[in-house]
Amino acid sequence: MKVIVLGAGIVGVTSAYQLAKAGHEVTVIDRQPGPALETSFANAGEVSFGYCSPWAAPGIPMKAMKWLFMQHAPLILRPKVDMAMLSWMAQMLRNCTAARYALNKSRMLRLADYSRISLAALREETGISYDERMQGTLQLFRTEAQLDASAKDVNALAADGIPYEVLDPEGCIRVEPALKHVRDKIVGGLLTPKDETGDCFKFSNVLAKKAETLGVRFNYGSIIRGLDVEGGRVRGVVTAHGTLQADAVVVALGSFSPLLVRPQDIRLPVYPVKGYSLTIPITDATRAPESTVMDETYKIAITRLGDRIRVGGMAEISGYTNDLGERRRLTLQHSVTDLFPGGDVSKASFWSGLRPMTPDGTPVIGPTKVKGLYLNTGHGTLGWTMSCGSARVITDLVSGRKPEIDATDLAVARYA
């Protein structure tokens, strides 16, 4: 079939690669001059198959109220008259129950574990390199309350057979030796040893080149105007340069996906939640993390990427804005220098991106009521983590095959 993939971020590129492998004629359309130049550009670098949880969880509404007044707040809310924002927040609050948290986390872990297998297979078949490491994620607790609260995550990991280890401070230092300099600041940690790290931008660019060798055409610098739909079936994509015909269209536009499908009366509850990152050159390897350390207090990930440290986090609900606030930079600097003192943050590059979040934390992958129109979006902070598995799921669905994992509860129909 002729398949058009909309979006050349990590989700779009992996989808295009798998679709081409399946024998389809694939074209990718993106407004940027190259792949992975928006949300995938400088994300936290985590490939978190085990550290994988919905933001909507029991107790989050009360925690959120406290976070809003912290000096280095993990959550920033800029309320505005925006019905999409209000609707998304209301739906998220409804998911903050123990039952829905368990259901949503189970969905996420299922897809994340499949993505782990898919990424490993892709590495083996392509030899792709992207500053990858396979040394796990250490969720670091500064208080006993944080350590106690991790019990629900431990139970979910155990239920799904995901390896984990609860560590005391000495165990944390064994995993991340540089933490010996701040031994008095930590009470314990939760290690998910199957987690990985890597540069999402590097991966996307190398995989895009490999996709081109399979025949994928990338139309960069192309503005998408809308979908060409006739008789309840998608016929193509309208761009600023004309209409491209297709048998199937996969929407992988991240936070902008809802805007494209709304004229087709598809209500896609994906909303942008802005995150920030710093990329810092390593000047002393003995004071740098080995893999990813997740600072639970500030919800900030500190990740080793080759000769750099990527510090990423925060959740700013402010609509489609991409400004860089100095206060957000200071929060990232505070977390990384507090746990890994000695780095030169004056040489850091500062970035922000819009994460496409669903109210329940689970991405939307599957068909829509418009025949031939598919969604692969809403991965939130886990687009890098879930991309390879999501790509295989959407490829199976487009190809008329049953996916290797249960994907029925990932489709947009769950919001109907």
Side-chain angles (χ1 to χ4, degrees):
M1 292 190 296
K2 289 186 177 181
V3 182
I4 293 178
V5 176
L6 302 181
I10 182 63
V11 173
V13 169
T14 51
S15 297
Y17 178 83
Q18 292 295 343
L19 285 161
K21 265 188 65 182
H24 300 295
E25 182 182 328
V26 183
T27 299
V28 180
I29 303 175
D30 196 282
R31 64 186 176 186
Q32 295 291 349
L37 287 173
E38 294 196 21
T39 302
S40 302
F41 180 69
N43 63 20
E46 298 173 89
V47 191
S48 307
F49 308 119
Y51 183 76
C52 180
S53 299
W55 286 14
I60 284 296
M62 290 301 297
K63 288 182 181 178
M65 293 300 294
K66 296 177 182 178
W67 287 337
L68 289 172
F69 298 100
M70 286 174 57
Q71 179 184 1
H72 296 294
L75 174 66
I76 304 101
L77 175 61
R78 294 181 181 177
K80 57 179 68 178
V81 181
D82 182 346
M83 291 308 299
M85 175 193 286
L86 296 174
S87 174
W88 181 87
M89 291 176 65
Q91 290 182 68
M92 184 179 180
L93 289 173
R94 286 199 294 271
N95 277 280
C96 291
T97 66
R100 293 195 179 192
Y101 177 86
L103 173 64
N104 295 331
K105 186 174 179 72
S106 178
R107 288 172 176 160
M108 295 170 74
L109 287 173
R110 182 202 318 149
L111 180 58
D113 196 53
Y114 182 57
S115 199
R116 175 183 64 81
I117 297 167
S118 303
L119 175 57
L122 183 62
R123 261 198 313 267
E124 185 172 348
E125 74 185 46
T126 64
I128 193 168
S129 180
Y130 48 95
D131 285 337
E132 70 278 8
R133 289 191 173 208
M134 291 80 179
Q135 295 174 242
T137 294
L138 177 62
Q139 186 180 5
L140 198 67
F141 307 122
R142 296 173 183 252
T143 68
E144 292 291 344
Q146 291 173 350
L147 182 60
D148 293 342
S150 69
K152 66 180 185 301
D153 291 322
V154 167
N155 292 338
L157 291 169
D160 284 87
I162 308 297
Y164 70 90
E165 187 177 354
V166 179
L167 303 175
D168 61 13
E170 297 308 318
C172 294
I173 293 169
R174 171 176 55 81
V175 173
E176 288 287 355
L179 291 174
K180 66 185 179 183
H181 302 290
V182 292
R183 165 66 179 78
D184 60 325
K185 295 182 179 180
I186 57 181
V187 301
L190 175 61
L191 176 68
T192 43
K194 294 294 185 181
D195 286 4
E196 303 176 10
T197 60
D199 189 320
C200 184
F201 175 74
K202 281 188 176 182
F203 180 94
S204 300
N205 276 264
V206 175
L207 191 63
K209 293 296 184 185
K210 293 184 181 297
E212 287 180 333
T213 67
L214 296 177
V216 177
R217 292 187 298 273
F218 285 85
N219 289 3
Y220 297 121
S222 184
I223 303 297
I224 301 164
R225 300 294 191 200
L227 298 168
D228 180 11
V229 176
E230 181 182 336
R233 170 175 285 279
V234 69
R235 302 295 182 185
V237 177
V238 182
T239 76
H241 305 297
T243 300
L244 297 179
Q245 300 301 312
D247 301 306
V249 174
V250 176
V251 180
L253 291 170
S255 299
F256 297 89
S257 300
L259 308 183
L260 180 74
V261 301
R262 189 177 298 159
Q264 309 307 323
D265 196 30
I266 297 171
R267 296 294 178 257
L268 177 58
V270 171
Y271 197 78
V273 177
K274 185 161 64 170
Y276 295 86
S277 77
L278 293 177
T279 304
I280 309 168
I282 293 175
T283 54
D284 182 352
T286 66
R287 290 181 174 268
E290 291 296 320
S291 186
T292 290
V293 172
M294 184 70 193
D295 187 347
E296 182 63 18
T297 298
Y298 303 108
K299 301 291 185 182
I300 287 173
I302 305 167
T303 299
R304 177 78 164 264
L305 294 177
D307 58 359
R308 301 157 295 148
I309 296 174
R310 177 69 52 73
V311 187
M314 289 177 285
E316 181 176 308
I317 304 172
S318 56
Y320 290 85
T321 61
N322 220 358
D323 56 309
L324 290 168
E326 184 61 23
R327 288 181 61 187
R328 313 306 168 224
R329 182 183 185 122
L330 294 176
T331 295
L332 295 170
Q333 290 181 180
H334 173 75
S335 176
V336 67
T337 57
D338 196 46
L339 291 177
F340 298 96
D344 188 357
V345 294
S346 68
K347 297 179 180 178
S349 57
F350 187 31
W351 171 90
S352 71
L354 302 178
R355 311 182 189 105
M357 298 291 298
T358 60
D360 60 14
T362 310
V364 181
I365 306 169
T368 69
K369 61 185 179 182
V370 177
K371 291 181 181 179
L373 181 63
Y374 297 83
L375 299 171
N376 192 5
T377 188
H379 296 74
T381 59
L382 296 167
W384 186 193
T385 296
M386 295 180 171
S387 58
C388 290
S390 299
R392 288 177 66 176
V393 168
I394 203 67
T395 295
D396 284 339
L397 291 170
V398 171
S399 304
R401 300 190 300 258
K402 183 179 180 181
E404 294 179 319
I405 62 169
D406 180 13
T408 55
D409 56 356
L410 301 179
V412 71
R414 74 178 187 266
Y415 291 107

